[in-house]
Amino acid sequence: MTEELDFNNLIPELHYYIHRKPTPGWKIEPCITSFIDITYVMDGKAEYTINDQTYIVNKGDLICIPQNSYRAATSIPDDLIECYATNFRLRNQTGEYVTLPLPYISHIGSNPQLIALYNEMHSEWLQQNFGYMLKVRAILCMILHLILDQLLNKNHASQDDPRIKSSIHYMSAHYWENLTTEEMAKRYHLHPAYYGNLFQKVTGMTFKQYLISIRLNYAENLLKSGEYSVGEVALQCGFSDIFYFSKLFKAKKGIPPSACFLEEKKPLK
């Protein structure tokens, strides 16, 4: 396992998918997996052996068996398991196989969004329409993102408060405007101080810090296109003072905006 996994550049290779509804005699024969096995338990129970440990998995459990692990499983006849299982390999941008920094068993409960994604994958897998594997891989990426976000993202709580989630969507669509805590608090009928504290609690940043982060991320995007000057980018992203913009950009990105612009404008050899 890599020590620091770049979650933005993971490339999954799906090998097998199944919506599993076992019989009382169902079992997975003992073997060494050549893939990562992610299984989400919808209902019932089963006994899984992963490497040198045996587990009873239950409804709402997520099983993550790393590549090159010993795996075996058997049904529990009086409470048959129902689950979605995906077997895949995962590469980084350099083509090396990597695994996920997840425990073998995590209880994530019932997740309607995850279930909807698995249902969509199931439908595409069965229909096998034009380019279905491309779409299935895209759905798998969304499933992995949802799982990693829930289990590893320290700021995942922002997804649990609809007011903050709505605020972030609004900020992303109106980042260049002069947005204020007072204005946003009014949208949700909250006192500005309470709203500001809530926003910082669930995102780890103040409202202003988050807004500036969105603006600078978009500014970086514009600069990389090579189609705008630094001054034009600053104005488009809500900064009226180019020197202030440059100072913030360098503090967050580690380089001045002009360097980002010049990097993208290098002539072809």
Side-chain angles (χ1 to χ4, degrees):
M1 182 187 300
T2 53
E3 292 184 0
E4 293 185 9
L5 198 57
D6 182 359
F7 296 111
N8 289 323
N9 293 297
L10 297 180
I11 305 168
E13 303 169 354
L14 182 63
H15 289 259
Y16 179 71
Y17 155 80
I18 188 171
H19 181 191
R20 184 173 284 140
K21 296 181 179 180
T23 62
W26 168 82
K27 63 180 178 179
I28 296 177
E29 295 290 348
C31 66
I32 302 297
T33 63
S34 61
F35 46 78
I36 299 170
D37 177 353
I38 290 241
T39 297
Y40 178 54
V41 182
M42 298 278 293
D43 206 0
K45 298 179 180 180
E47 181 181 290
Y48 270 74
T49 300
I50 307 170
N51 293 326
D52 58 352
Q53 187 69 42
T54 298
Y55 304 87
I56 300 299
V57 297
N58 298 274
K59 178 179 180 180
D61 282 346
L62 182 79
I63 308 163
C64 180
I65 304 175
Q67 189 172 346
N68 301 320
S69 296
Y70 174 89
R71 178 191 68 163
T74 58
S75 64
I76 296 177
D78 61 348
D79 196 2
L80 294 176
I81 192 173
E82 178 185 356
C83 60
Y84 289 106
T86 52
N87 298 162
F88 59 95
R89 295 189 181 101
L90 202 59
R91 295 180 186 268
N92 59 23
Q93 276 195 315
T94 62
E96 300 170 314
Y97 285 125
V98 297
T99 191
L100 296 169
L102 298 176
Y104 294 156
I105 310 295
S106 303
H107 185 74
I108 62 174
S110 179
N111 187 313
Q113 189 176 357
L114 182 59
I115 293 169
L117 287 171
Y118 272 118
N119 286 339
E120 186 177 3
M121 175 182 278
H122 183 72
S123 176
E124 294 297 330
W125 190 266
L126 294 182
Q127 293 178 67
Q128 297 191 12
N129 292 325
F130 171 78
Y132 80 100
M133 279 300 296
L134 179 62
K135 188 168 184 180
V136 166
R137 283 196 297 270
I139 297 169
L140 175 58
C141 284
M142 295 174 70
I143 288 171
L144 291 176
H145 176 268
L146 186 62
I147 289 170
L148 294 172
D149 182 48
Q150 181 165 342
L151 294 179
L152 300 180
N153 184 6
K154 295 178 181 179
N155 293 327
H156 174 74
S158 64
Q159 302 300 314
D160 297 330
D161 193 303
R163 297 166 297 186
I164 301 305
K165 186 175 182 179
S166 175
S167 295
I168 292 170
H169 285 166
Y170 188 87
M171 293 162 73
S172 298
H174 300 267
Y175 56 88
W176 66 89
E177 297 178 7
N178 184 28
L179 303 179
T180 64
T181 304
E182 289 74 20
E183 176 191 347
M184 296 300 292
K186 188 176 180 180
R187 291 173 60 88
Y188 304 103
H189 309 288
L190 298 174
H191 188 279
Y194 176 82
Y195 174 83
N197 289 334
L198 176 65
F199 192 97
Q200 185 166 5
K201 179 181 178 182
V202 299
T203 66
M205 287 188 266
T206 66
F207 179 84
K208 183 177 181 180
Q209 288 170 336
Y210 204 100
L211 178 60
I212 287 174
S213 179
I214 289 175
R215 288 175 171 178
L216 293 177
N217 288 340
Y218 189 65
E220 183 180 27
N221 231 28
L222 292 179
L223 289 166
K224 285 183 175 181
S225 74
E227 299 171 8
Y228 307 92
S229 69
V230 173
E232 289 171 332
V233 168
L235 289 174
Q236 286 197 49
C237 294
F239 297 98
S240 57
D241 187 333
I242 188 173
F243 298 105
Y244 177 63
F245 164 70
S246 297
K247 180 181 177 180
L248 289 176
F249 190 94
K250 185 174 182 180
K252 180 175 175 63
K253 304 296 183 180
I255 58 173
S258 56
C260 183
F261 177 77
L262 290 171
E263 178 69 21
E264 296 302 318
K265 295 292 284 185
K266 285 182 178 178
L268 294 174
K269 294 182 179 179

